[in-house]
Amino acid sequence: MIIVMGIDASIAQISEVVTRVKGLGYDAHISEGEDRTIIGVVGSGPTIDREQLAMMAGVKEVIRVSKPYKLASLEFHPEKTLVPLNGVQVGSEKLALIAGPCSVESRSQILETAHAVKEAGATALRGGAFKPRTSPFAFQGLGEEGLKLLAEAREATGLPIVTEVMDSELVPMVCEYADMLQIGARNMQNYALLNAVGKSQHPVLLKRGMSSTIEELLMAADYILSHHNSRVILCERGIRTFETATRNTFDINAIPVLKQTTHLPVLADPSHATGKWEYVEAASLAAIAAGADGLIVEVHHDPECAVSDGRQSLKPERFAELVKKARRVAEAIDRIL
Ligand code: PEP
Ligand code: MN
């Protein structure tokens, strides 16, 4: 952090700022220029409230140099984090492919889809048992019954399970069934939930909030990482913009930005990013080309009758086609699927 003093700042004001900086546990490096003094804040310690320093007499501006997120940053942790998922080290050259329905609806539905996505080459099975729905009157998920059906599908296919947890009190129960906990877009800034999944030491798939910046996503990841739970995967799933042709706007930029700022693996969710099945393939291929470490895709054996997100769900045969094409894109950029 750099504190720029005003041209007419007095010696007393400068020394008061230096005293404050030192009182916060940091060193103050003073550099006296031709017409103003600049104070460099160096060292590490508790987060400094920039606004408070900016309010001090004689201070013109306080400029942040380092990032507000720490544990998730590549600067702080230069080695890439790899998260194991069914033989794939997510974040390595091998891509992960999580697929399955938006919601678990019935035994036959989840089993049929699980077998189909496994056949097509999926690494893990997704399916929501607790659903964050915009309307309280929409299908809310089967709850624990849905988790049991997911466990049965894992038993039958060997695919690990990725499923959403929406409530910190339910974390222990969901952990009993899930191999990876999903934090949905609507809960990216639910700090009690982030702390709970952090403490659980269970692997976490953290989705970007629909109105959250990349920086906020990384700060949310810091909550989980602060509990020494390092198995965190980030997911770009589209953001809200003025565009209405698609459900969300797929922020493809987020993928290279994240790859260059964090050591955590980054997945893309082309289903929620587009909201329409006919765009899912194009968005998937683009995500891989942009450097994503894998995909999470909604697949349903009968999308027309799905209880949630049927509009964006691929039929199993379309998913199998997508995997074939994705493999070729992966190869072109020296990755494996
Ligand atoms: C989902 O994965 O079905 C879901 C609700 O995703 P998001 O939180 O990204 O909207
Ligand atoms: Mn969904």
Side-chain angles (χ1 to χ4, degrees):
M1 191 173 283
I2 292 166
I3 303 169
V4 182
M5 300 302 293
I7 290 174
D8 47 8
S10 67
I11 291 173
Q13 286 171 339
I14 294 169
S15 107
E16 235 167 88
V17 173
V18 169
T19 307
R20 173 75 75 92
V21 168
K22 289 189 173 163
L24 290 167
Y26 290 81
D27 266 344
H29 283 200
I30 302 171
S31 129
E32 277 174 32
E34 284 253 313
D35 50 18
R36 65 172 84 243
T37 298
I38 287 172
I39 303 166
V41 180
V42 288
S44 56
T47 309
I48 297 179
D49 185 339
R50 202 153 52 107
E51 301 300 326
Q52 262 186 9
L53 288 176
M55 277 164 61
M56 290 186 75
V59 174
K60 178 167 182 286
E61 207 182 349
V62 179
I63 304 164
R64 203 169 59 198
V65 193
S66 56
K67 305 276 189 255
Y69 48 88
K70 188 174 172 183
L71 305 177
S73 81
L74 199 53
E75 214 173 21
F76 176 80
H77 187 293
E79 312 86 58
K80 292 268 174 200
T81 289
L82 304 180
V83 178
L85 184 66
N86 194 18
V88 175
Q89 295 290 335
V90 189
S92 70
E93 75 280 4
K94 197 159 161 59
L95 302 180
L97 202 51
I98 304 171
C102 178
S103 301
V104 181
E105 298 170 12
S106 68
R107 189 167 182 274
S108 59
Q109 173 244 15
I110 194 66
L111 284 172
E112 190 172 325
T113 313
H115 283 292
V117 299
K118 163 137 195 200
E119 180 109 338
T123 317
L125 175 68
R126 64 148 289 151
F130 295 94
K131 295 304 302 177
R133 305 305 301 280
T134 305
S135 164
F137 308 115
F139 177 69
Q140 303 287 306
L142 295 180
E144 189 169 9
E145 181 52 30
L147 296 176
K148 288 187 174 147
L149 294 174
L150 282 167
E152 204 180 322
R154 171 177 51 206
E155 189 75 18
T157 60
L159 290 179
I161 289 160
V162 181
T163 195
E164 179 159 358
V165 60
M166 299 202 301
D167 185 332
S168 40
E169 281 173 16
L170 291 179
V171 170
M173 192 250 268
V174 179
C175 282
E176 274 180 41
Y177 300 92
D179 298 283
M180 184 172 283
L181 303 172
Q182 176 175 321
I183 298 296
R186 291 155 192 81
N187 273 314
M188 190 206 85
Q189 288 183 312
N190 179 340
Y191 301 118
L193 183 59
L194 297 176
N195 282 324
V197 300
K199 283 183 197 148
S200 77
Q201 301 301 322
H202 233 63
V204 178
L205 177 68
L206 176 63
K207 297 185 103 181
R208 178 180 180 185
M210 63 186 85
S211 305
S212 299
T213 62
I214 293 170
E215 194 170 274
E216 287 164 342
L217 170 63
L218 292 167
M219 290 166 89
D222 264 3
Y223 270 85
I224 305 170
L225 297 169
S226 72
H227 296 283
H228 306 286
N229 183 353
S230 58
R231 289 181 293 172
V232 178
I233 299 177
L234 305 176
C235 179
E236 164 57 38
R237 49 76 74 204
I239 53 172
R240 279 249 163 115
T241 68
F242 51 80
E243 184 52 72
T244 55
T246 49
R247 181 177 179 184
N248 288 293
T249 296
F250 184 27
D251 182 10
I252 196 137
N253 298 348
I255 296 166
V257 170
L258 285 167
K259 292 305 294 176
Q260 288 181 33
T261 47
T262 179
H263 52 92
L264 299 172
V266 180
L267 295 193
D269 173 346
S271 309
H272 293 86
T274 60
K276 294 182 178 166
W277 69 264
E278 57 271 39
Y279 308 137
V280 168
E281 182 181 288
S284 300
L285 302 181
I288 293 172
D293 296 306
L295 303 171
I296 174 164
V297 182
E298 286 187 341
V299 178
H300 196 286
H301 69 291
D302 185 12
E304 293 85 352
C305 296
V307 298
S308 63
D309 289 349
R311 183 67 186 88
Q312 66 196 30
S313 298
L314 293 180
K315 290 184 176 163
E317 50 282 14
R318 289 214 169 90
F319 175 66
E321 275 304 304
L322 157 62
V323 177
K324 281 190 204 147
K325 290 193 189 166
R327 216 163 252 148
R328 288 164 55 201
V329 175
E331 248 169 54
I333 55 160
D334 297 326
R335 301 199 68 174
I336 309 158
L337 181 64

